[in-house]
Amino acid sequence: MESSIYLKLRHRIQVHPDSSISLGRIAQIIAPDAYAERVKSLQIYQVSECDQNIIIIDVMQVIGLIQDHFQGMDVQTIGPAQTIVEVVFKRKRMSVPLFILVWLLLFIGAGLAIMNFHEDVSMRSVHQHLYEIITGEANSKPLIFQVPYSIGLGLGMILFFNHVFRKRINEEPSPLEVEMFNYQLDLDQYVIMNENKESMKHIDDD
C-alpha cells in the first residue's frame, strides 16, 4: 500500500477553453500521504484553441505520466479506461422568437399526434357506445366521459414523464430520462472509440 497509487478515472468532466487539466480533476486518487498532493497536481493536458469540444484522456497516458514523475511507484487502476473531457464554450443567449417557434411546433405536433391516434382507434365512438350501454340513451357528445378522459390524459402524461415543469415528482427516473441516459452511454462509447487515437490502429500507422 505504501508504494502504490490507486486511481479511478471519472467517466466525464467539463472544462473551460484554455484550461489546464490536472490528474485530480479527472480521477479519484488514493496515494501515500507524502505523494498525494503532488500526484493530484500533475498536469495531464492543456486545452488549446485547436481542440474541439471533446478530448479523450486514456489511462495509459496517465500511468506513463505518473511513472515518469514517481519512478518505482506501482499504479493500480480501477474503473473506466478513458475520461471524456467536454470543453464547454460560452453559450449564446436563448433567442425568444426561436423558443416560441419551437414551442409552437412541438405543441401543435403533439396535439395532432394525439388527435390522429384517437381518430384511428375511434375514441369518440367508444365513448358514445359506453354512454349508451350505461345510460340506455344515445348521446353524440358524452361529456361525462370525454371531460374526465381529457383531464386524465394530461395527468397521465405528467406521471409518465415524472415532471411538472422543472419539478420532479419523485426520485424515480422517467422513461424519457432512461432513454436519454442510454443514448448518452452509446454516444460516449462512440466518441471513445473514434476520438481516442490509441483505440484503433490503421494499416498505414505502422
Side-chain angles (χ1 to χ4, degrees):
M1 177 66 182
E2 289 300 323
S3 61
S4 297
I5 296 175
Y6 297 87
L7 62 88
K8 179 181 179 182
L9 292 184
R10 293 184 170 91
H11 178 69
R12 173 185 284 266
I13 67 168
Q14 292 182 334
V15 298
H16 294 292
D18 300 322
S19 296
S20 180
I21 304 173
S22 64
L23 182 56
R25 294 191 66 181
I26 68 168
Q28 296 173 286
I29 300 168
I30 298 177
D33 293 339
Y35 303 102
E37 291 303 321
R38 291 169 57 194
V39 173
K40 291 179 181 179
S41 63
L42 282 178
Q43 299 303 307
I44 299 294
Y45 194 87
Q46 175 65 48
V47 182
S48 62
E49 294 182 357
C50 63
D51 291 315
Q52 298 181 356
N53 63 320
I54 294 293
I55 301 166
I56 303 297
I57 297 179
D58 193 84
V59 70
M60 297 300 291
Q61 175 186 351
V62 174
I63 293 174
L65 184 64
I66 294 174
Q67 291 183 340
D68 286 343
H69 285 78
F70 303 93
Q71 296 182 2
M73 188 72 69
D74 181 38
V75 181
Q76 300 288 336
T77 62
I78 305 168
Q82 295 89 13
T83 292
I84 300 173
V85 179
E86 180 183 357
V87 182
V88 180
F89 297 93
K90 186 177 181 180
R91 296 181 180 179
K92 297 180 180 179
R93 294 188 62 183
M94 181 182 63
S95 172
V96 175
L98 180 60
F99 170 79
I100 294 174
L101 177 62
V102 173
W103 185 87
L104 285 174
L105 287 174
L106 292 175
F107 181 81
I108 294 171
L112 287 173
I114 293 173
M115 288 189 291
N116 288 332
F117 167 75
H118 286 161
E119 186 66 26
D120 288 341
V121 298
S122 301
M123 187 63 70
R124 182 179 180 182
S125 299
V126 171
H127 286 167
Q128 292 172 347
H129 190 55
L130 284 174
Y131 185 88
E132 186 175 356
I133 291 175
I134 295 174
T135 64
E137 300 177 1
N139 188 343
S140 61
K141 296 181 179 179
L143 297 179
I144 194 171
F145 286 134
Q146 292 176 342
V147 172
Y149 175 79
S150 299
I151 296 173
L153 184 63
L155 292 176
M157 294 290 285
I158 291 173
L159 292 174
F160 180 79
F161 289 106
N162 198 26
H163 275 83
V164 180
F165 297 104
R166 292 188 177 184
K167 184 176 177 60
R168 184 190 293 270
I169 298 175
N170 54 51
E171 293 301 319
E172 182 179 349
S174 69
L176 181 61
E177 289 174 323
V178 173
E179 288 301 317
M180 289 298 294
F181 175 77
N182 289 331
Y183 170 76
Q184 186 64 57
L185 287 180
D186 292 339
L187 187 62
D188 289 346
Q189 187 63 30
Y190 174 85
V191 168
I192 287 172
M193 293 299 297
N194 286 273
E195 295 293 330
N196 187 5
K197 297 179 181 179
E198 295 301 325
S199 65
M200 293 186 295
K201 283 290 185 182
H202 299 287
I203 193 169
D204 297 330
D205 294 338
D206 296 332

